[in-house]
């Protein structure tokens, strides 16, 4: 059975210890969009995430890699976030992620993939040799019963993270 082991598992992106990532040689962060950085279909950043991204941008290249098929929506989100990004990424396939790494001029070993879906976000990151960070979805309770069931099934494929961030120091 496929077993995915994220490098880190956290509740929310703003819990990432940026100093730990820098110490590991991470120079770039690639984010899933919906339910990782933004509530699905909202087109808006929460204020805490918006402020946090400003801090992140000081030390890291950032990008968005989304399976969302609505290119205009993702383009507007990428403008709001002020980064590069792609819709229709077809994760866990690697093709668009590799294209994004080349655009960022980063090696997979210098990059972390952050997302809320084990079988798309974490898997593509692991296939490329990236640090992977699994976050809880921003919104869980308002999702359809089908999506809630799918999330429970996905968690079957997860082994506990093999690292923990140090005490928050950023």
């Amino acid at each position: 059975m496929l077993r995915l082991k994220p490098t880190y598992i956290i509740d929310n992106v703003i819990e990432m210890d940026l100093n730990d990532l820098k110490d590991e040689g991470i120079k770039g962060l690639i984010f899933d969009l919906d339910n990782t950085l933004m509530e699905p279909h909202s087109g808006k950043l929460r204020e805490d995430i918006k402020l946090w991204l400003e801090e992140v941008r000081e030390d890291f290249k950032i990008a968005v890699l989304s399976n969302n098929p609505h290119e205009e929506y993702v383009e507007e989100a990428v403008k709001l976030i002020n980064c590069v990004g792609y819709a229709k990424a077809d994760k866990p396939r690697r093709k668009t992620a590799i294209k994004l790494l080349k655009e960022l001029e980063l090696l997979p070993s210098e990059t972390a993939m952050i997302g809320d879906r084990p079988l798309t976000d974490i898997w593509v990151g692991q296939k490329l040799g990236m640090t992977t960070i699994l976050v809880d979805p921003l919104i869980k309770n308002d999702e359809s019963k089908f999506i809630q069931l799918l999330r429970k099934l996905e968690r079957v494929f997860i082994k506990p993270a093999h690292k923990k961030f140090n005490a928050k120091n950023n």
Side-chain angles (χ1 to χ4, degrees):
M1 176 192 317
L2 170 69
R3 297 290 282 178
L4 301 171
K5 188 174 187 175
T7 312
Y8 300 101
I9 299 175
I10 56 176
D11 289 334
N12 188 298
V13 292
I14 63 175
E15 293 181 9
M16 290 169 32
D17 188 312
L18 301 177
N19 290 324
D20 276 0
L21 293 174
K22 283 190 284 188
D23 290 347
E24 291 178 23
I26 301 299
K27 298 177 183 175
L29 305 176
I30 299 176
F31 295 96
D32 175 52
L33 182 61
D34 291 316
N35 248 341
T36 299
L37 289 179
M38 292 182 166
E39 294 177 4
H41 316 294
S42 72
K44 297 178 186 172
L45 287 171
R46 288 185 352 199
E47 193 61 29
D48 60 340
I49 293 175
K50 183 177 181 179
L51 292 171
W52 178 79
L53 282 170
E54 290 174 14
E55 179 185 342
V56 170
R57 213 175 269 105
E58 293 174 13
D59 294 306
F60 299 92
K61 294 180 181 181
I62 63 171
V64 167
L65 189 64
S66 177
N67 280 351
N68 191 311
H70 303 287
E71 290 179 328
E72 298 83 19
Y73 169 77
V74 174
E75 286 172 14
E76 288 300 313
V78 164
K79 284 180 193 173
L80 181 65
I81 296 165
N82 188 24
C83 67
V84 297
Y86 292 98
K88 298 181 181 179
D90 202 22
K91 296 175 285 184
R93 290 198 168 97
R94 298 176 296 179
K95 183 178 179 180
T96 308
I98 291 169
K99 181 178 176 181
L100 187 53
L101 285 168
K102 286 180 183 176
E103 188 170 343
L104 294 172
E105 298 178 344
L106 292 171
L107 298 171
S109 61
E110 301 172 317
T111 311
M113 178 70 210
I114 302 103
D116 66 306
R117 301 291 305 270
L119 294 178
T120 57
D121 307 316
I122 301 308
W123 197 4
V124 72
Q126 286 185 343
K127 286 166 67 172
L128 289 168
M130 296 179 188
T131 293
T132 55
I133 303 171
L134 180 65
V135 299
D136 276 346
L138 291 173
I139 293 184
K140 306 182 237 196
N141 299 333
D142 292 341
E143 293 180 316
S144 72
K145 295 292 183 198
F146 175 75
I147 296 296
Q148 290 178 19
L149 176 63
L150 186 59
R151 284 191 186 282
K152 285 180 184 177
L153 289 173
E154 280 186 321
R155 295 294 168 149
V156 169
F157 296 98
I158 294 298
K159 289 183 180 182
H162 62 279
K163 290 185 181 180
K164 292 187 182 213
F165 284 119
N166 290 327
K168 193 78 170 167
N169 57 10
N170 41 320

